[in-house]
């Protein structure tokens, strides 16, 4: 009863390529769902009379549950079969999206967003786990490269899709769109993804499940609520201590139980830990950048939500291009050099973005965003491949889940930290440039624009000029920090990332053909 089908041969499953298309489609659904909401927040505020705190919970409920459930979802998928996890996750995601579109209060919407995050948590790690299971060593890197390119497209497709829908329909359309997308992905999974064997090794690790879910939930809540509550408040300190205790208990339990949900000893493997950390650094820099960049495009440049979404297309296109070929780049130059170069290119693009002004033309923005995307494309697949290659094949579902957790935590931490830096710098810059600015304008750039709309023309113009300049300078400070983090990641990759071959790797990946390994032979 523990299996769905016969094990996949080492050479790869005959249906692996059609299955990859279905898996990429399922991945796009989750990445779009994670980013499409940002463009709808102003419409939600008006339609549901939502406060700023309400909007934060609508946005964060998904992230909180998604990150907290990833390890549990990955473990259950490995136990009962990843195709079942995909089917169940997509079904829950579609149903919760429809319910969210019909919500008539912020409380309902927060609850349904949380359920959407739960559904997505079963989909995301399962896609990578199935790829590892279906593809043999010779093709696995290429498949993960395609998977990574698809993730980049989904990240940007969300804002573009949301902006286009809001130009023609009400706010509920950003949730309704998930229903047909999930239905198509679900059909593709059922038709194209073969049933794979589940692995039931002993009793279900219920204590580990509870410790990991509650510990990660507390940790993510500390990160996303820190800027609003204050990083040094008693509430933040108590919750952070609780998260540390729960995750420590999780680690200790996993070390002693006979059938752990996560083999925490694998974190002692340098390749596994460093590659995972690099993924977190990459998403820290990306989401930290996007926090300010989307506001800059919409408020400083006056772009519509759809136009602002299109502004990120250079990032998506360049990332797709480099990610799609990153397996060949890594084969030729070595994963360590490829990842380090990618982070360096990403840092260069971020450095360019940290020099922009309120009048920087779109062509310059597109060029620098393209560099950020190109660099990230070189990082994603080789780093992801390194983490799953560092563990035995039967433990790849755990590695996939950990991959997803690290990316989500990195992104959440990037938004929180860079958001705090940008907000503090904005208030300081505005107070220096316009000491008599109305109090609401000092809160954030959106409030400044709303305040300016009710002032006489001369006063409105002065406030808008000062606020736009203050925010652009503040965003540059935040982007400089993102660039520094990416550079530190590049240095860590060069110093600590030592990829090694695993059984069955093709000749091109063996030590004598790997530039990173040859020098250490």
């Amino acid at each position: 009863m523990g299996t769905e089908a016969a094990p996949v041969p080492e050479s790869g499953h005959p249906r692996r390529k059609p299955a990859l298309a279905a898996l990429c489609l399922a991945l796009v659904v989750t990445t779009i769902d994670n980013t499409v909401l940002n463009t709808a927040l102003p419409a939600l505020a008006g339609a549901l009379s939502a406060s700023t705190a309400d909007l934060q919970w609508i946005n964060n409920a998904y992230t909180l549950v998604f990150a907290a459930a990833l390890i549990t979802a990955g473990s259950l998928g490995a136990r009962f079969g990843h195709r079942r996890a995909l089917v169940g996750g997509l079904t829950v995601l579609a149903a919760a999206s429809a319910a969210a579109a019909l919500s008539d209060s912020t409380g309902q919407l927060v609850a349904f967003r949380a359920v959407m995050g739960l559904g997505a948590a079963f989909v995301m790690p399962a896609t990578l786990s199935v790829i590892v299971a279906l593809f043999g060593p010779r093709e696995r890197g290429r498949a993960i490269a395609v998977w990574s390119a698809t993730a980049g497209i989904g990240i940007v497709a969300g804002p573009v899709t949301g902006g286009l829908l809001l130009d023609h329909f009400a706010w509920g359309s950003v949730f309704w769109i998930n229903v047909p997308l999930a239905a198509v992905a679900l059909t593709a999974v059922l038709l194209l993804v073969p049933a794979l064997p589940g692995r039931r090794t002993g009793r279900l690790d219920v204590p580990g499940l509870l410790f990991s879910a509650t510990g990660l939930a507390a940790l993510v809540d500390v990160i996303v609520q820190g800027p609003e509550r204050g990083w040094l408040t008693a509430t933040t300190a108590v919750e952070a201590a609780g998260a540390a205790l729960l995750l420590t208990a999780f680690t200790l339990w996993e070390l002693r139980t006979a059938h752990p949900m996560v083999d925490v000893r694998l974190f002692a493997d340098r390749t596994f830990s460093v590659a995972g950390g690099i993924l977190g650094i990459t998403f820290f820099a990306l989401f930290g950048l996007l926090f300010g960049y989307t506001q800059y495009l919409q408020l400083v440049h006056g772009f519509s939500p759809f136009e602002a979404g299109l502004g990120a297309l250079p990032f998506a296109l360049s990332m797709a291009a480099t990610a799609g070929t990153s397996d060949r780049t890594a084969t030729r130059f070595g994963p360590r050099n490829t990842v380090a170069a990618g982070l360096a290119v990403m840092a260069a693009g971020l450095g360019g973005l940290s020099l922009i002004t309120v009048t920087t033309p779109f062509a310059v923005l597109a060029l620098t965003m393209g560099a950020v995307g190109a660099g990230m494309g070189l990082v994603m697949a080789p780093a992801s491949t390194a983490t799953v290659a560092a563990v035995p094949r039967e433990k790849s579902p755990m590695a996939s889940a950990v991959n997803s957790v690290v990316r989500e935590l990195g992104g959440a931490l990037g938004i929180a930290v860079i958001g705090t830096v940008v907000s503090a710098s904005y208030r300081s810059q505005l107070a220096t440039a316009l000491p008599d600015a109305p109090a609401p304008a000092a809160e954030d750039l959106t409030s400044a624009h709303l305040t300016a709309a009710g002032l006489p023309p001369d006063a409105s113009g002065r406030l808008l000029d000062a606020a736009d300049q203050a925010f652009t300078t503040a965003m540059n400070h935040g982007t400089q920090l993102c660039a520094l983090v990416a550079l530190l990641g590049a240095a860590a990759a060069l110093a600590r990332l030592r990829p090694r071959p695993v059984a069955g790797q093709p000749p091109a990946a063996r030590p004598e053909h790997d530039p990173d390994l040859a020098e250490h032979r």
Side-chain angles (χ1 to χ4, degrees), residues 152-248:
I153 294 172
I155 289 172
V156 177
V160 174
T161 303
L164 182 61
L165 290 171
L166 291 172
D167 280 348
H168 300 91
F169 305 103
W171 64 268
S173 60
V174 301
F175 298 113
W176 281 121
I177 191 62
N178 292 329
V179 178
L181 289 176
V184 173
L186 181 60
T187 302
V189 167
L190 290 171
L191 293 177
L192 301 176
V193 177
L196 296 173
R199 293 180 181 272
R200 297 191 183 184
T201 55
R203 300 166 64 180
L204 181 65
D205 183 13
V206 176
L209 185 155
L210 295 175
F211 282 138
S212 70
T214 54
L216 285 171
L219 177 60
V220 174
D221 193 57
V222 167
I223 293 172
V224 299
Q225 298 294 332
E228 184 68 20
R229 293 176 183 161
W231 291 106
L232 301 179
T233 61
T235 301
T236 299
V238 169
E239 190 174 27
L245 287 174
L246 288 166
L247 292 175
T248 299

Side-chain angles (χ1 to χ4, degrees), residues 70-487:
L70 276 168
I71 289 180
T72 298
S75 177
L76 292 175
R79 186 178 184 86
F80 298 106
H82 293 298
R83 193 174 77 154
R84 289 173 179 160
L86 284 167
V87 170
L90 288 168
T91 301
V92 170
L93 181 61
S97 296
L102 297 172
S103 299
D104 55 17
S105 71
T106 55
Q108 290 180 5
L109 187 52
V110 168
F112 291 127
R113 282 282 292 169
V115 178
M116 291 164 67
L118 179 63
F122 279 85
V123 176
M124 178 76 79
T127 57
L128 183 56
S129 296
V130 174
I131 288 173
V132 173
L134 292 183
F135 284 84
R138 290 185 177 275
E139 297 178 316
R140 194 174 297 144
R142 175 65 174 165
I144 294 176
V146 173
W147 177 84
S148 299
T150 303
I153 294 172
I155 289 172
V156 177
V160 174
T161 303
L164 182 61
L165 290 171
L166 291 172
D167 280 348
H168 300 91
F169 305 103
W171 64 268
S173 60
V174 301
F175 298 113
W176 281 121
I177 191 62
N178 292 329
V179 178
L181 289 176
V184 173
L186 181 60
T187 302
V189 167
L190 290 171
L191 293 177
L192 301 176
V193 177
L196 296 173
R199 293 180 181 272
R200 297 191 183 184
T201 55
R203 300 166 64 180
L204 181 65
D205 183 13
V206 176
L209 185 155
L210 295 175
F211 282 138
S212 70
T214 54
L216 285 171
L219 177 60
V220 174
D221 193 57
V222 167
I223 293 172
V224 299
Q225 298 294 332
E228 184 68 20
R229 293 176 183 161
W231 291 106
L232 301 179
T233 61
T235 301
T236 299
V238 169
E239 190 174 27
L245 287 174
L246 288 166
L247 292 175
T248 299
F250 170 73
T251 302
L252 294 175
W253 172 260
E254 296 299 285
L255 286 171
R256 61 167 291 187
T257 186
H259 303 289
M261 185 169 67
V262 174
D263 184 358
V264 294
R265 293 178 180 85
L266 288 173
F267 286 95
D269 183 284
R270 188 169 68 178
T271 296
F272 182 80
S273 298
V274 173
I278 284 171
L279 288 172
I281 286 172
T282 303
F283 274 76
F284 177 100
L286 174 64
F287 280 84
L289 166 68
L290 293 179
F291 171 82
Y293 188 68
T294 53
Q295 296 180 69
Y296 171 79
L297 291 179
Q298 291 191 48
L299 297 174
V300 177
H301 274 271
F303 290 175
S304 69
F306 177 59
E307 291 170 333
L310 290 177
L313 276 181
F315 167 88
L317 295 175
S318 60
M319 178 182 171
T322 55
T325 58
S326 61
D327 62 313
R328 293 194 289 271
T329 305
T331 297
R332 180 172 181 180
F333 299 105
R336 183 191 66 173
N337 296 331
T338 301
V339 169
L343 284 165
V345 171
M346 192 174 179
L350 290 165
L353 283 169
S354 72
L355 302 176
I356 63 176
T357 67
V358 294
T359 58
T360 298
F362 180 76
V364 175
L365 299 175
L367 181 64
T368 49
M369 280 299 287
V372 174
M376 187 171 178
L378 289 173
V379 174
M380 287 295 295
S384 297
T385 302
T387 58
V388 297
V391 304
R393 188 169 181 176
E394 64 272 13
K395 294 183 179 180
S396 61
M398 181 274 290
S400 301
V402 171
N403 259 342
S404 299
V405 170
V406 170
R407 289 197 300 266
E408 195 67 20
L409 288 177
L413 193 60
I415 293 172
V417 173
I418 303 304
T420 299
V421 170
V422 171
S423 296
S425 180
Y426 168 77
R427 288 192 291 269
S428 175
Q429 296 290 329
L430 185 62
T432 301
L434 198 65
D436 59 344
E443 293 298 318
D444 51 56
L445 185 59
T446 301
S447 299
H449 277 246
L450 292 174
T451 301
L455 298 176
D458 288 346
S460 175
R462 286 195 301 274
L463 176 57
L464 287 176
D465 288 343
D468 287 351
Q469 181 59 59
F471 181 82
T472 302
T473 302
M475 186 187 75
N476 288 344
H477 292 161
T479 308
Q480 288 166 5
L481 179 56
C482 291
L484 176 60
V485 168
L487 274 178

